[in-house]
Amino acid sequence: MADAFSVDLNCDVGESFGAYHIGNDAAVFPYLSSVNIACGFHGGDPAVMRKTVKMALEQGLAIGAHPGLPDLQGFGRREIKVNTDEAYEMVVYQIGALSAFVTAEGGRMHHVKPHGALYNMAAKDERLAMAIAEAIYRVNPELRLYGLSGSALVKAGTTLGLNVAHEVFADRSYQDDGTLTPRGQQGALIDDVDQAIAQVVKMVKQGTVMSRQQVPVGIHADTICIHGDGLHAAGFARRIHETFHLEGIVITSAFKH
């Protein structure tokens, strides 16, 4: 039974830049199987990218690019009306930047996961989703695409022939349509650690999540995102790691699809 369930545990990292320190990457790394490294648009800078890539390689983690909208002040969480060409170009640019650091350190890129508003926009907008998926495919068709479970983004990736990973969130609540509750709304973030862990175990083992409207929603959990910028991120990551061990859930970037 130990191998009945396997799932990737990822975290958005490398989001500090200049004099600004965001998150506690080193503390959460031991509990992860993959990382999504910011590429300079919503967070990150060349020095941080290099340092984070080296840390990830030292700990044997799968490395992904985390391209976002060009919005440092809003941390990439504000919607910007970009057209499909602009989305394609900014994703290619950011993948290229991180890929260079990974190659320089002797590693290999594993996946791409859009960040923040770009991620959420692409979950619903089919044309934007296809532009992002095409950018990834043209840079390297071997890269895996991480996108919200059941979203337009993973569907676009599947259409193009990319290897996709349906992503779920441990500390976020869901709507009836399977989308995340917008951060500005009450209850968007799950602060109760026990509740968050119970939710994520159910998503992995039963393939469902209870929406904010108390409706069960079908979901597929290939990879789970935890956020590294919270005050208790490391403790939360450790609790998930320990719970998964007890539940017979294997944490690996080579998860079964």
Side-chain angles (χ1 to χ4, degrees):
M1 288 298 293
D3 293 326
F5 299 94
S6 60
V7 69
D8 176 50
L9 190 59
N10 79 73
C11 187
D12 304 338
V13 298
E15 293 176 317
S16 302
F17 60 95
Y20 302 96
H21 183 78
I22 299 171
N24 191 0
D25 296 349
V28 298
F29 270 38
Y31 307 107
L32 307 173
S33 51
S34 72
V35 290
N36 323 303
I37 301 177
C39 306
F41 274 36
H42 76 276
D45 64 26
V48 172
M49 290 166 70
R50 182 187 181 199
K51 175 184 176 182
T52 309
V53 165
K54 291 178 72 172
M55 285 174 52
L57 290 173
E58 287 168 0
Q59 301 207 29
L61 303 180
I63 295 176
H66 197 36
L69 294 170
D71 181 22
L72 278 177
Q73 187 172 359
F75 198 59
R77 289 177 175 162
R78 301 183 294 191
E79 288 196 6
I80 298 175
K81 291 185 178 180
V82 295
N83 62 39
T84 54
D85 283 342
E86 290 169 329
Y88 173 90
E89 290 153 4
M90 67 177 64
V91 171
V92 168
Y93 184 96
Q94 292 175 81
I95 294 174
L98 186 70
S99 180
F101 280 108
V102 176
T103 300
E105 297 299 330
R108 184 176 180 182
M109 284 265 288
H110 176 262
H111 66 275
V112 177
K113 173 190 166 181
H115 165 81
L118 184 63
Y119 179 98
N120 291 324
M121 291 158 63
K124 297 180 179 180
D125 187 325
E126 294 180 358
R127 294 180 68 248
L128 184 63
M130 186 58 71
I132 292 171
E134 186 177 356
I136 298 167
Y137 186 85
R138 290 201 179 187
V139 170
N140 182 355
E142 299 300 316
L143 290 172
R144 189 184 294 261
L145 168 61
Y146 284 21
L148 185 67
S149 178
S151 67
L153 184 56
V154 293
K155 291 174 184 175
T158 300
T159 297
L160 286 180
L162 287 170
N163 191 359
V164 302
H166 292 257
E167 184 177 43
V168 299
F169 288 76
D171 57 357
R172 294 290 301 275
S173 67
Y174 283 77
Q175 297 295 296
D176 286 353
D177 61 357
T179 61
L180 299 175
T181 303
R183 280 181 174 269
Q185 292 186 18
Q186 184 177 4
L189 296 175
I190 300 174
D191 296 320
D192 186 305
V193 173
D194 291 332
Q195 179 186 348
I197 290 176
Q199 171 175 286
V200 81
V201 169
K202 186 175 182 180
M203 286 192 285
V204 173
K205 286 196 160 186
Q206 300 180 26
T208 61
V209 64
M210 191 66 69
S211 74
R212 286 281 296 160
Q213 295 76 27
Q214 295 303 301
V215 174
V217 178
I219 209 156
H220 190 95
D222 290 322
T223 183
I224 299 162
C225 177
I226 61 172
H227 291 103
D229 55 351
L231 290 176
H232 309 292
F236 183 48
R238 184 180 65 252
R239 282 283 308 276
I240 289 181
H241 200 275
E242 292 170 348
T243 301
F244 279 9
H245 177 72
L246 294 174
E247 292 283 344
I249 301 170
V250 178
I251 298 174
T252 173
S253 60
F255 50 83
K256 299 174 186 176
H257 185 79

